[in-house]
């Protein structure tokens, strides 16, 4: 059962109350979440001042995914790692921006949790002032505290996550969080420097009629998906299309208003573009906590077992009947 919280409850109090039931987590998971919120506030402030602080544009480098690295990507990646490394509750940060997982340096305690993170999702939108965000998922390690984290700690089923969330930097800064029971959103008051509860226990209806996909690639999709999308457009159900090109922003809108987000495989990239550990897993954990579903077309995202920390996956995520409709469409003979 989700707990009841009044609007205006601070994130700090929410974390205290929700981790209270798990005494072993109260100090550690609570500290971890507070540090993520701290780094989120730093990134939010930098995003708001990007044009003034010389933070727009690319660094001239490409990352491990072959994508252009933006200055804010680097700032955000460093902010989260610095916030997490010294507090003794984290043993590794698996980041989109780093080739290898960042293992907590020996001078600090190698703590209980692994954080998988896309520090700045949708970064191609930075220069045009569209919404971008941070996505994170948290696992509890399998190996003993105080030792170096290994692959066994982070290459594992999404069902093992203990919490996940995202922070969007848009017209306001909003942090969404789930520890498995409900999804709660907190809006940053920049004058006070604190996140306050603004959306309690979000629930998705079973079905919606908004879809978010980059239809520019339709010619390269599985023809069954093309037929499905053509079918909903031809129907009398008044479907709407909404696509920003920031997964985190498209997901947030669909979580509040209902809708399905699709990033399918294409002929050129059968596994699509999105990454399993730090994009699909955290959002799948949130969507299930809100009563929705996430699938790769045949299987629940959370049941997948990664073999590589930068592994990609097709993603269909949103209201549960919509996801099931797509799975059915893809499985037709
Ligand atoms: P990023 O993590 O490097 O920003 O890339 C992922 C982003 C997602 O936020 C978004 O859904 C997708 O790329 C958009 O891709 P496309 O331009 O192919 O539609
Ligand atoms: Mg991303």
């Amino acid at each position: 059962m989700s707990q009841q919280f009044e609007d205006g409850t601070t994130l700090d109090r929410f974390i205290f109350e929700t981790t209270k039931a798990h005494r072993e987590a109260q100090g550690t998971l609570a500290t971890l979440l507070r540090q993520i919120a701290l780094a989120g506030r730093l990134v939010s402030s930098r995003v708001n001042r990007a044009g003034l602080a010389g933070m727009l544009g690319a660094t001239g480098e490409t990352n491990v995914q072959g994508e252009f690295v933006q200055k804010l990507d680097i700032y955000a990646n460093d902010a989260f790692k610095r916030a997490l490394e010294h507090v003794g509750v984290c043993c590794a940060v698996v980041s989109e921006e780093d080739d290898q997982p960042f293992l907590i340096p020996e001078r600090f305690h190698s703590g209980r949790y692994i954080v998988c993170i896309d520090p700045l999702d949708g970064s191609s939108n930075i220069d045009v002032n569209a919404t971008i965000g941070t996505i994170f998922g948290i696992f509890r390690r399998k190996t003993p505290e105080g030792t170096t984290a290994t692959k066994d700690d982070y290459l594992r089923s999404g069902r093992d996550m203990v919490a996940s969330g995202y922070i969007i930097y848009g017209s306001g800064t909003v942090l969404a969080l789930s520890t498995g029971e409900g999804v709660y959103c907190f809006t940053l008051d920049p004058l006070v420097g604190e996140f306050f509860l603004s959306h309690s226990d979000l629930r998705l209806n079973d079905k919606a009629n908004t879809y978010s996909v980059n239809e520019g690639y339709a010619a390269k999709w599985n023809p069954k998906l093309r037929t499905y999308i053509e079918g909903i457009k031809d129907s009398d159900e008044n479907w709407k299309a909404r696509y920003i090109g920031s997964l985190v922003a498209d997901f947030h809108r669909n979580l509040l208003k209902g809708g399905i987000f699709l990033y399918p495989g294409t002929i050129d990239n059968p596994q699509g573009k999105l990454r399993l550990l730090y994009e699909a897993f955290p959002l799948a954990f949130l969507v299930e906590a809100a009563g929705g579903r996430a699938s790769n077309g045949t299987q629940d995202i959370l049941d997948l077992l990664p073999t590589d920390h930068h592994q990609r996956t097709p993603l269909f995520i949103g209201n549960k009947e919509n996801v099931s409709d797509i799975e059915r469409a893809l499985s037709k003979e």
Side-chain angles (χ1 to χ4, degrees), residues 247-298:
L247 166 67
V248 67
D250 283 308
F251 179 84
H252 181 66
R253 184 203 50 244
N254 290 350
L255 185 63
L256 295 185
K257 299 194 174 233
I260 175 140
F261 176 93
L262 307 83
Y263 206 112
T266 58
I267 295 169
D268 305 331
N269 298 304
Q271 292 306 308
K273 176 181 183 188
L274 301 175
R275 276 60 51 116
L276 181 58
L277 264 182
Y278 40 81
E279 293 181 318
F281 268 175
L283 298 185
F285 186 85
L286 287 172
V287 91
E288 285 201 6
R293 284 196 61 206
S295 166
N296 68 353
T298 53

